[in-house]
Amino acid sequence: MTSVTQRILQIKQPRGGFLLVKFFSEEKLSDGKELFSQENVSPNLVGLCVDYLSRFMIGSDKEQAFEISLIGASMAGMEALAQEFLSKITGLDDSSIANACKLVGFDVIYRAGMAFYKSVEEIDPDKQTIANIRIMVERSLAFFADYGPVVKDGFDLKGAYTDLITIGDGDFLTLDTLWDFKVSKTKPNKDHTLQLLIYYLMGTRSIHPEFSSIEYLGLYNPRQNVVYRLAISDIPKETIELVEREVIGY
């Protein structure tokens, strides 16, 4: 199995990347809140936690929001433990956030394999980490109030896979924009913009009709509370053809 992110790591992009970050408009949102500087859970898990809790809080079923985590747990024969964590996620209280952090620890089994799994029992977010996650989910909800509504979340790319990319799941679709969440301390990079373009190009060939109305690619970073957006009509035709051929394999 080769995921979109794994495929991106396999290729050498041109200088600045296939899709330059500077093409994207940038808008800083403000909620007047500051995040704590230290967290005791890995950035990757914090990002997944913010992503999945945001899906749950905007109305997705819990099982759907944490679907990848549950599949990972099932692959490891730990469904009962995963269901125990899931049952304790009810909102944005401390217990819900702590259990979400543990549950997303199963994701890596699905995404990278059992060899990369570390015991979820050892994931124990402190008060600062929990507070940061809560603020970032609240920012995400405010973001969707402005840019939403969400018409699809946690989508796969069925119908569009190739010999080069055999698995992939995107974050959110609103009526006119494909959004990817990046819970990062740094600005987007060429891998992030390429990932977004691949999702779009595969999405238009997938089983999901919602892609037919997508006109923009967007990145939202709830850690920095910044929105990045680019009109698909502004992407050079040769860039699209190159990525379709060389990266995806159409």
Side-chain angles (χ1 to χ4, degrees), residues 38-57:
Q38 297 295 317
E39 294 167 356
N40 72 335
V41 173
S42 77
N44 183 43
L45 290 184
V46 168
L48 289 170
C49 202
V50 170
D51 183 352
Y52 297 173
L53 277 173
S54 297
R55 295 181 195 186
F56 171 50
M57 294 301 292

Side-chain angles (χ1 to χ4, degrees), residues 3-134:
S3 69
V4 173
T5 47
Q6 286 168 334
R7 177 62 185 146
I8 289 169
L9 294 174
Q10 292 171 357
I11 58 173
K12 184 168 169 43
Q13 294 196 52
R15 186 177 174 82
F18 284 109
L19 190 56
L20 298 178
V21 177
K22 68 179 182 183
F23 288 169
F24 285 70
S25 66
E26 186 176 329
E27 182 189 359
K28 180 90 170 90
L29 307 180
S30 177
D31 62 355
K33 293 178 180 173
E34 290 286 325
L35 297 181
F36 290 104
S37 59
Q38 297 295 317
E39 294 167 356
N40 72 335
V41 173
S42 77
N44 183 43
L45 290 184
V46 168
L48 289 170
C49 202
V50 170
D51 183 352
Y52 297 173
L53 277 173
S54 297
R55 295 181 195 186
F56 171 50
M57 294 301 292
I58 59 170
S60 278
D61 291 339
K62 251 191 312 196
E63 287 75 9
Q64 188 184 347
F66 290 88
E67 183 182 19
I68 304 286
S69 307
L70 294 173
I71 293 171
S74 176
M75 289 166 73
M78 291 188 265
E79 298 102 322
L81 183 57
Q83 287 295 334
E84 184 185 330
F85 295 146
L86 189 71
S87 70
K88 294 174 181 171
I89 301 171
T90 57
L92 293 180
D93 57 283
D94 287 9
S95 173
S96 292
I97 293 172
N99 280 283
C101 282
K102 291 178 184 290
L103 183 54
V104 299
F106 290 120
D107 255 56
V108 71
I109 301 169
Y110 173 80
R111 295 179 187 278
M114 197 69 201
F116 294 90
Y117 171 73
K118 296 191 176 81
S119 173
V120 295
E121 306 277 25
E122 293 170 18
I123 301 169
D124 187 21
D126 59 19
K127 286 202 175 304
Q128 292 186 340
T129 304
I130 287 172
N132 280 5
I133 290 170
R134 182 180 297 112

Side-chain angles (χ1 to χ4, degrees), residues 204-221:
T204 57
R205 288 173 168 81
S206 75
I207 61 171
H208 306 299
E210 293 87 351
F211 274 92
S212 62
S213 63
I214 297 300
E215 297 175 16
Y216 298 90
L217 302 181
L219 290 159
Y220 175 59
N221 184 334

